[in-house]
Amino acid sequence: MRAILPGKPQARLQAVCTVQWEGLRLVVYISGNGIVILSGPTDLVQTLYLEDCSALVAVDIDETTGKIAAASPTNVYVYRPYGKEEGLLKWSLQSVIPRQEQEPENLTLSWGTDAELLIGSNSLRLFQIATPESEIWRRRLPMPVKLAKFSHDASFIASTGSYDRLIKLWRRQSSGADDTRFDFTYLPHPTAVTAIHWRRHNTREQTSDHTLYSICGDRKIRVWAAMDPHGVHGLQIWAEIDMQASIQPRQLNSISQSSDRFAFIIDSRDFSRSTAAAIERVGKAESQDHHALQHLVEVTKSNPELCIVIDRHGHMSAWGLENVGKKARKPTDVFNIAHVENFDIAFSGSGSLENSNVQLLPFCREQSAAQLVLLVHHFDGMIEWLECKFEELFDPSPQRERISRRTLWTGHEGSIKKIVRSISGKVVLSRTNENEAVIWRQGHGESDLGLALSSTLSSSEHIHRSWLLHNGDFVVNLHHRGISLWAARSPSALQVSTCPFDLEGRLVCLVQLPELSLDSNIIHVAAITTRGKGMVWSLSTPRNPRGKSQAQGPSSPGLEQFCTFDLNIQDDLAFMLPVDPAGSASWTSSSLDTFAQDIAISYSTEGKLRTWTAVLDANRSAVEWLVTSTVETGIKNPSLTSASSIRKTALVDASRTGLTIWDMRSGQLEHDTQYNDVDLIGDLDWSSTPDNQSLLAIGFPHKIIILAQMRYDYLSVGPAWAPIREIDIKDSTPHPIGDSVWLGSGNLLIGAGNQLFAFDKTIDSADYMVSDLAVPVHKHGPMNLFDLVTYLNGPLPLFHPQFLSQCILAGKLVQVQHIVVGLHKALRYFTEGDELDSFVSMAPGELIEEPQSSLASKGSVSPAAGAPVNEAEVDYGEVVPLLTEKLTKVSIPQLSSREQIHLVDMIECVSTVDKHRRSMDDNATRYLLFFRHHMIRKSQVPADKAGITFREIAWAYHSGSQDILVDLVSRQFQGRMLWENAKESGIFMWMSDVTALRAQFEVIARNEYTKTDEKNPIDCSLYYLALKKKNILIGLWRMAAWNREQTSTQRLLSNNFQEARWKTAALKNAYALLGKRRFEYAAAFFLLAGNLQDAVNVCLHQMQDLQLAVAVARVYEGDEGLVFRRLLEEKVLAQAALEGNRWLATWAFWMLGRRDMAIRALISPVHTLMDFAEAPNMQARSYLANDPALVVLYKELRGKSLQTLKGASRISPKVEWDFVIQNARLYDRMGCDLLALDLVRNWEFLKQPKQLPSKEDSVPDPRKMLRRRSSLVVDDLTSPKSPTGMRAGMGKPPPQKVFEEPEANSLLDNFGF
């Protein structure tokens, strides 16, 4: 559903026309230089723009061919329809007819038969519209015509000029391209003719009964008919209807009396169709008791014409005309059908006489519940679509409302440049390039898309920026060298005050400042330039009700300068603009801190974003500004930005094709996408749901894409923002989008050309964008946009697979089992359509209690809180098969089908882990669960080749149950683990025992050799040479008689590669293999030559396999080898810093023995810990670099040894505080609010010593830092020195350790005494 403001219609007699063409009702009108074609109140078919003219003067459409003719001051354009049969009706230009020189601007158009087009100006010209078009008749006129119309069968032309008392009636004498002739007679009138109407028949072949209606200044309707078809005059006067006498006042007061009369004709064909449609709608049985309808049926029997006369006060008189054209007219041939009241049309009562004029165009809609439609063309710039039911229109009994407005078409004449919304979003201002503005007000209901024109504004100066105050009652316009205040309570806004100014730099921003009190009538606005200079004005804006005298207010409106200021920005200020007020009301502020409301955002040419707030000081007449957040985006010369009031900022790059979305509070990147070069981003608009979920509308030349916030997903690495709707207006208008804005109710307003399109917040759940988001919609249909966004980013039910996953990472495996058991109980008697408790009867307090080890006793699981007493214990092993079977049969309302499949997988994984939990620690449990989940997903989606992440590798690396994990992983691959399987599991990254590592590597070597039937030694060469078992490889080559390389390879391997000549030979072979792109075999020959560094480089760079490089280095020389440590320092840590991968960094630091740095890497960005020359990429700034599971690992490792305590002691309490709060926010963005509450409730900070240690590398007594009295700390400060020297203090010789005898109390405390 949408509402349309197609543009302001021209105030001309032939600006609007309507026909029924091939069963389709079409309404065409001209607005500016555009032709608007509609098929219903809100159905815009097409808009045609003429670039070579400023304004059109006339339009007409042919009901036979559907062709449209439109006239400009220089040409007449003819458009032909196409694509109707395909359901894509459009019009294209067919021909252009130049106008004659020295013609007046106004002309008239009329279609005849056989594609004849009459053009009337200071002459009448008749054209045959063919290919090419040709002029077939012309007649020069003594004065320009105002109206010229063909009769229905094109036998007659009626024309008249401005203020002309004569209608010139042209009668066709002959037809044909070569011999078209007309003669004419006059139809005299006592005063000037104002309107003419030809009677229209069912078909154009009905050539008899030519009837012409004329209205002139004496307020009479004259009916002209061919009573003597063979007479000289053609038409003779048949009847007159006195409009003034038709409506007599029923009350004596002057308020209900009006001398103005308006009339329209309903042809007999439309009257008969409307009556028949009314009978069909009411029903034949009920119509017998419907007295008004029965009256219409009786009237219809004589097939009359209807003449409707109305006045400004809702009085209507309907006249019927029978036997029109008969010579012997009876007195009863003109009779009154009804005289009713409450036929209310909103006539304009102000303005010039020309603007108060109206045109009435009636037509019948047989397929509609309201059979009669009346188009009211107000010459002050509006077209009303009014509807009424036929039986109610002529019902003499009192009716409260006989006719209702369906829509109103109006708008601008020029192209819309900017749309500004009020803070509430209920009022908007649209502005054109010609400095003309219109203020619109939205309807009262949220579902009301209608925008009512409230006031118009026209400025003689260029409007640079605009701001709406007091819900649109006042407007502030910023000009290049001045500012003006306008009162917009009347239909035409009035300028009430101006103030000149002179500021250094280019104006970029106009913003309203927070006030100290909302009750004050004083408002302050500020203007800012690119030099950081600004000025504040004080505006007096009385808040008296609309329509009342301004004298009731405490003061009259005005503005004056308040102060000047300087932002003191050192770098270049490229642009600054107000924060989008979406989701916020008017605000107050009395303090200046980072918690204050953001009011503006700026960006520099280097891509630095800043958000600003300000506070007024009335005593000093000053304003203070504060930067609330700063983000270095690294995007050079951004072209566009927009910020929301909840600190989300969208930034567009210089090419206008790249979009990034930033969280200004945390400084992290949430979204990064690149659009094609055809669609350049031109606009960004923020909106907010009632629960502060964000929406972003991205404006392209001909479409709008709406992005919605998604929950953070660190396990599936899902997007944080996703497109949920695309609005394409290319089919409606060729004009590019000028601007768009969100209304407060969530509806989107788009301005393109001189038109406004309002789209509501209802979307179709079957849309491909919505279906791709795995929304829990089990029956497709309309869906509220706000409800969709709330689901996508709202709190998760406890049984959601992501919530269960995060609980497991947080060490809450027992609680996960309780949730699963609770879900099983809730689904026991669940049927489709029932509501399901998101907490499954589990108390929230159970999740935020003190964390317990997952190594609970195996067996029964205690029930969730709230469970019945008689169900005290449930065997988890028995629950799993019953629950998984149930989940395959019913649809859970809170989950999509995809999420329900993930839930089944998660429950099965928890069941698998539960079988081994007696022999595994928490970290092994975490690794095994997510490894099993990965393997299940891989079996369901075979194309998914990605392995586990470094998060899972870190869990397994810090596990004390690695031998069990190795066995379980090996079983997963049926004991036939190949390198691709090992890489998938990350086993050679997390195994800490080098001896077991080499044994497992040899297993890989054997499996690689036997993976094919031919048993190729080349497949295992790299592995055996890394193990330094060349003899085994020689033996394998001895059995490879089928291989053509056997002899040469066997001969080469039998040499002593300690000698220089054979090392050189092996290197030559390695380089030759590199040239042949046999990288793995080349790395094997580098190992044969004893060149481990080159072998590692080949694995890393050519094969792009970090795990293989690490495995080869560890197996070849151990964890203390020079090459391996250099690999960690120069490659792994560099990659971690570039990508912001904290999991990889903490693993590398721990491998290097720098456990203090490993702890710091969990909290601080990796590039801040190292002297890293290259700037981090976008991935390092992404929200994915801040996994909330990092806080779990940090909490576990910080008290593990003296080194980790040393690293933790170097983290300031503020940094740790920010880290915890940041992770709580991440949990909240993931929909895991209870885990966020658990984190902040149960977090324990290290005790800070009262006196800091004097030496840099000394660490306080760990027993005084840890709050847990049972903590056991390992002394590992004597770590090995890195051979190449680490940056940022890595590799410094550790201080000489001096034993300090602990206090007795500390020892007793450590044992719990």
Side-chain angles (χ1 to χ4, degrees), residues 657-659 671 673-677 679 681 698 700 705 707:
T657 58
L659 173 71
H671 184 70
T673 187
Q674 195 76 23
Y675 296 98
N676 57 53
D677 297 336
D679 293 328
I681 301 174
I698 310 169
F700 297 93
I705 294 179
L707 299 183

Side-chain angles (χ1 to χ4, degrees), residues 734-756:
H735 207 287
I737 294 173
D739 198 10
S740 62
V741 72
W742 290 94
L743 301 178
S745 58
N747 303 324
L748 183 64
L749 187 66
I750 301 173
N754 63 341
Q755 300 175 328
L756 288 168

Side-chain angles (χ1 to χ4, degrees), residues 797-863:
L798 297 190
F799 47 81
H800 194 281
Q802 172 156 293
F803 188 87
L804 297 179
S805 301
Q806 292 301 322
C807 284
I808 293 168
L809 289 175
K812 299 180 180 297
L813 183 61
V814 174
Q815 286 86 341
V816 169
Q817 293 175 339
H818 290 175
I819 293 172
V820 173
V821 171
L823 179 61
H824 166 67
K825 295 176 181 178
L827 293 180
R828 188 176 301 173
Y829 305 108
F830 179 83
T831 58
E832 297 285 348
D834 293 349
E835 293 185 1
L836 185 62
D837 181 17
S838 296
F839 287 88
V840 287
S841 302
M842 184 174 182
E846 188 175 349
L847 279 169
I848 57 176
E849 293 176 352
E850 285 290 324
Q852 299 176 358
S853 172
S854 64
L855 301 176
S857 58
K858 183 167 181 169
S860 61
V861 177
S862 58

Side-chain angles (χ1 to χ4, degrees), residues 12-66:
R12 298 182 182 272
L13 290 174
Q14 209 169 352
V16 187
C17 58
T18 177
V19 297
Q20 184 83 6
W21 174 63
E22 295 187 1
L24 181 65
R25 171 57 60 174
L26 295 174
V27 180
V28 182
Y29 77 91
I30 52 177
S31 174
N33 65 336
I35 305 170
V36 183
I37 309 170
L38 303 108
S39 61
T42 59
D43 301 324
L44 179 63
V45 179
Q46 190 180 7
T47 304
L48 303 167
Y49 284 100
L50 300 174
E51 302 298 336
D52 57 347
C53 75
S54 59
L56 296 170
V57 296
V59 68
D60 196 26
I61 182 170
D62 186 9
E63 68 175 16
T64 304
T65 63

Side-chain angles (χ1 to χ4, degrees), residues 542-709:
R543 294 190 182 186
N544 52 299
R546 293 177 57 84
K548 294 187 179 181
S549 172
Q550 292 183 358
Q552 293 181 356
S555 63
S556 60
L559 67 90
E560 61 182 0
Q561 182 177 330
F562 181 74
C563 69
T564 59
F565 60 88
D566 190 346
L567 295 179
N568 296 318
I569 301 177
Q570 302 300 324
D571 54 358
D572 182 28
L573 178 64
F575 208 80
M576 188 171 185
L577 70 161
V579 165
D580 201 312
S584 65
S586 301
W587 64 89
T588 59
S589 177
S590 58
S591 60
L592 193 66
D593 51 43
T594 56
F595 296 101
Q597 180 85 34
D598 293 338
I599 63 171
I601 184 168
S602 66
Y603 62 85
S604 67
T605 54
E606 297 299 316
K608 178 184 286 188
L609 291 173
R610 295 185 181 95
T611 54
W612 300 80
T613 189
V615 65
L616 292 165
D617 189 341
N619 297 326
R620 296 190 298 114
S621 294
V623 61
E624 295 183 32
W625 291 83
L626 176 68
V627 178
T628 56
S629 60
T630 303
V631 175
E632 294 279 359
T633 65
I635 300 174
K636 305 294 183 182
N637 300 313
S639 59
L640 191 64
T641 190
S642 180
S644 71
S645 55
I646 52 178
R647 295 195 174 177
K648 302 291 182 185
T649 299
L651 188 67
V652 180
D653 62 9
S655 66
R656 287 186 175 266
T657 58
L659 173 71
T660 53
I661 300 178
W662 302 82
D663 185 331
M664 298 300 293
R665 183 178 283 107
S666 61
Q668 62 190 16
L669 175 66
E670 291 192 342
H671 184 70
D672 184 10
T673 187
Q674 195 76 23
Y675 296 98
N676 57 53
D677 297 336
V678 178
D679 293 328
L680 301 182
I681 301 174
D683 188 32
L684 299 170
D685 292 288
W686 288 97
S687 182
S688 178
T689 66
D691 54 349
N692 277 345
Q693 311 291 345
S694 292
L695 287 165
L696 176 64
I698 310 169
F700 297 93
H702 297 283
K703 66 180 179 181
I704 299 284
I705 294 179
I706 299 176
L707 299 183
Q709 267 186 298

Side-chain angles (χ1 to χ4, degrees), residues 1126-1154:
R1126 188 180 295 115
L1127 171 66
L1128 295 177
E1129 296 167 9
E1130 298 178 0
K1131 302 297 182 182
V1132 176
L1133 285 175
Q1135 178 181 339
L1138 184 66
E1139 299 174 355
N1141 193 333
R1142 298 184 185 180
W1143 296 103
L1144 180 60
T1146 188
W1147 172 84
F1149 279 127
W1150 200 281
M1151 272 288 188
L1152 288 167
R1154 291 308 308 267

